[in-house]
Amino acid sequence: MKKLTFIFMTSLLIACSSNKNATPAIEDFNYSVDKFADVEILRYRVPDFETLSLQQKELVYYLTEAALAGRDILYDQNNKYNLTIRRTLEAVYQNYKGDRNSTDFQHLTTYLKRVWMGNGIHHHYSEDKFTPEFTQQFFAEAIRSIDAKNLENVLQPGQTPDSLIAQLTPVIFDPALYPKRTNQEHGVDLILTSGNNYYGQGVTQPEVEAFYAQMKDPNDPRPISYGLNSKLVKENGKLIEKTYRIGGLYSPAIEKIVFWLEKAATVAENDKQKDVINTLISYYRTGNLRTYDEYSIKWVEDLASQIDFVNGFTETYGDPLGMKASWESIVNFKNVEATKRTEIISSNAQWFENNSPVDPQYKKDKVKGVSAKVITAAILAGDCYPATPIGVNLPNANWIRAEHGSKSVTIENITEAYDQASLGNGFAEEFMWSDADREIAKEYGSLTDNLHTDLHECLGHGSGKLLPGVDPDALKAYGSTIEEARADLFGLYYIADPKIVELGILPNNEAYKAEYYRFMMNGLMTQLTRIQPGKNIEEAHMRNRQLIAAWVYEKGKAENVVELKKRDGKTYVVINDYAKVRTLFGKLLAEIQKIKSTGDFEGAKTLVETYAVKVDPKLHAEVLQRYKKLNLAPYRGFVNPVYTAIKDASGKITDIHISYDENYVDQNLRYSREYSVLPSIN
Ligand code: ZN
């Protein structure tokens, strides 16, 4: 998955103005909604929603309700006090009778907005605990000043507002407590030092590793995703899994999800889709990971339906050991026009696999079912809200991908929002070397960026194979970075291939340079805008980008392939030889595929630790200073549209209306009112 784009979007979608619930036109749409701390909140359009049939709209509606119903789960997964903190802050925000214009109250408001953005007390991207700017004293006074009945859904039995203050103050203010949500730092116990809630109090990394090692059957060619949907806790000195399911952990929220999924099943587009939904329901009832695999296979094989969704414990980036999954949901429908592009890529998947620079022994003889489509997101939820990926490739289980393929999507209405919100913000003028670089970016940047995402998702993740007997988790904490690098490199290598022009996907043999320049500039310099001074790079996608860019820079140094040039005391990326950059991308792809295929932990470690983690403090400081002057937010999140079911006198749904006018604060407060059923401590 890739995240940010900043280049002009060339394809305009024209909305029909005669329909009273038609999609607003791009030029009439206000993309930017809110700005605080290091975040800008955007809204996104849902083009063509009005062209769906009533049954399809109803299906989307039920699935969006199922998506929003899981919101609290992620908060609790991210840290055990997140729900208590969110509810306490919301109670203060809504009931505080003191001076709402005071600096302290403003700071509390900003902090609450950040908690919504991070789904908890840690930054959504850096995963560091953020620091409140209001005082401990104000926090205590504000809580004492509101009526205790406003804290009804917060206080545990026997708890008073004062003991609540005592409980939360260190969690919010003490920098040494839960400093990181997911710790990836080498050489410490990653479980004990992570602030998330996937493991119980006192559970250690060696204990977790031993627990799952004895559970795994190394001879099972179709292993379940061990530990995916449970919290591992110690009870009476014994480790046990508390499974996320109806009757288990998070049951109240999962019951709601299932309630809406059951309604969705009644309006499914076809029997196959109905079966997908029903299998997911039965997994939520039992927590059985074999059923989850069954569901994943049915889901990946449902290619006919126009409406699609992700709903479940899916991505494992939040667990330092990469086993436990955070809850997320995206509901979407196919963007038919744009999907033609990815269909061309997918139907040539075998050609790409055969012609890649990878050693033949690591290639797939038969690339199966690489399906790809461009989608329009209808709702973002759980770990996809407010921050969201712009591409998704699922399922994650290696054996399912090998035997049944994977589904790959690019979320074009989200990239549209990014692009439109970034027009003319001065970024390209500040950081790009020349007018020529800017010209080519303006002309082809959006197209090639979307295409790189397509290649990454449609071909990259699905390419290559593990040698027999190689443990899919062999690369451990380095696995995510290596996997993302593999997918990115596959895309980078092929975006410059004449085959892409031959297939009519790019108009000429120059366009790819827009993506090469963007990628190298981002990986070597501008993504550092997202890192605080003195910090290393932690997040897997960012590590992967620096790994690739820094490796290519270093390996091409002797021939001056890529330069970091100075002008007026400012550093710029200059690419002198695009063809050699491509060759180097190909070399690194071969190297990384070998590491993945052979489960070479030491190889992965060396590459990541050498190129992907450390930051040049001087360059970092310069980039931050230049970026600061532009006054841009380095991160973006989203608000969702609001869907309203229109019913006739008998209660039958006659239409689903969509509106775009809800702001960030109102939306989060409403979600907390309408979709919050979990206890504060689970
Ligand atoms: Zn990816």
Side-chain angles (χ1 to χ4, degrees), residues 1-2 317 391 393 456-457 461 483-484 487-488 541:
M1 298 186 262
K2 307 197 307 172
Y317 300 110
N393 182 310
H456 173 119
E457 301 290 353
H461 282 304
E483 177 57 22
E484 292 310 320
D488 257 357
H541 296 81

Side-chain angles (χ1 to χ4, degrees), residues 344-631:
I344 297 173
I345 295 169
S346 290
S347 58
N348 287 280
Q350 193 66 53
W351 186 92
F352 288 108
E353 183 75 357
N354 295 347
N355 289 279
S356 87
V358 164
D359 189 320
Q361 61 175 319
Y362 310 132
K363 289 184 186 180
K364 276 204 186 97
D365 302 327
K366 225 173 150 36
V367 187
K368 266 192 196 166
V370 186
S371 87
K373 58 183 177 178
V374 178
I375 60 167
T376 303
I379 206 105
L380 309 167
D383 220 355
C384 298
Y385 173 92
T388 187
I390 58 172
V392 180
N393 182 310
L394 291 170
N396 283 329
N398 276 306
W399 70 266
I400 299 180
R401 301 168 73 86
E403 293 180 23
H404 303 272
S406 61
K407 236 195 253 183
S408 185
V409 301
T410 308
I411 314 173
E412 204 135 293
N413 60 328
I414 297 298
T415 54
E416 173 198 290
Y418 279 130
D419 287 339
Q420 292 299 319
S422 301
L423 284 179
N425 64 13
F427 186 89
E429 285 68 23
E430 177 60 40
F431 286 105
M432 297 178 100
W433 171 249
S434 68
D435 284 341
D437 295 322
R438 276 183 288 274
E439 280 305 309
I440 201 161
K442 197 171 171 184
E443 180 108 34
Y444 303 116
S446 229
L447 177 61
T448 54
D449 194 14
N450 280 330
L451 177 58
H452 184 222
T453 306
D454 295 340
L455 292 166
H456 173 119
E457 301 290 353
C458 310
L459 303 178
H461 282 304
S463 73
K465 67 175 181 197
L466 299 182
L467 291 187
V470 170
D471 178 357
D473 299 327
L475 305 183
K476 295 185 184 148
Y478 301 108
S480 301
T481 300
I482 292 295
E483 177 57 22
E484 292 310 320
R486 203 173 70 84
D488 257 357
L489 284 162
F490 204 91
L492 288 165
Y493 180 77
Y494 274 120
I495 202 167
D497 200 286
K499 180 84 175 174
I500 293 287
V501 179
E502 199 182 295
L503 290 169
I505 299 168
L506 285 183
N508 56 52
N509 288 321
E510 297 287 303
Y512 77 91
K513 292 178 180 173
E515 180 63 11
Y516 273 28
Y517 190 87
R518 192 199 66 82
F519 190 93
M520 291 302 292
M521 179 180 75
N522 189 46
L524 286 174
M525 283 178 57
T526 49
Q527 73 164 353
L528 296 177
T529 55
R530 297 162 165 224
I531 303 288
Q532 282 176 16
K535 297 271 191 231
N536 284 335
I537 298 180
E538 303 276 350
E539 199 273 337
H541 296 81
M542 288 188 76
R543 282 186 166 188
N544 129 54
R545 291 181 205 123
Q546 179 168 301
L547 195 173
I548 295 171
W551 189 93
V552 166
Y553 173 70
E554 194 193 280
K555 301 293 168 188
K557 222 169 183 174
E559 292 180 273
N560 214 18
V561 176
V562 179
E563 272 182 279
L564 285 172
K565 260 192 185 165
K566 289 266 189 189
R567 187 172 61 205
D568 304 332
K570 293 176 177 178
T571 312
Y572 297 87
V573 170
V574 179
I575 299 184
N576 294 315
D577 190 336
Y578 278 90
K580 286 219 176 90
V581 172
R582 183 182 188 222
T583 309
L584 289 168
F585 283 149
K587 269 195 182 148
L588 184 56
L589 172 60
E591 169 89 21
I592 280 187
Q593 182 62 56
K594 183 176 161 197
I595 287 171
K596 170 99 180 181
S597 293
T598 58
D600 176 8
F601 176 81
E602 285 304 320
K605 182 179 161 189
T606 305
L607 265 187
V608 174
E609 295 293 344
T610 309
Y611 295 100
V613 180
K614 284 178 226 99
V615 170
D616 171 3
K618 243 180 98 184
L619 180 63
H620 189 196
E622 179 201 318
V623 168
L624 287 177
Q625 199 223 358
R626 287 163 68 187
Y627 190 74
K628 202 176 165 197
K629 283 195 185 145
L630 297 173
N631 203 19

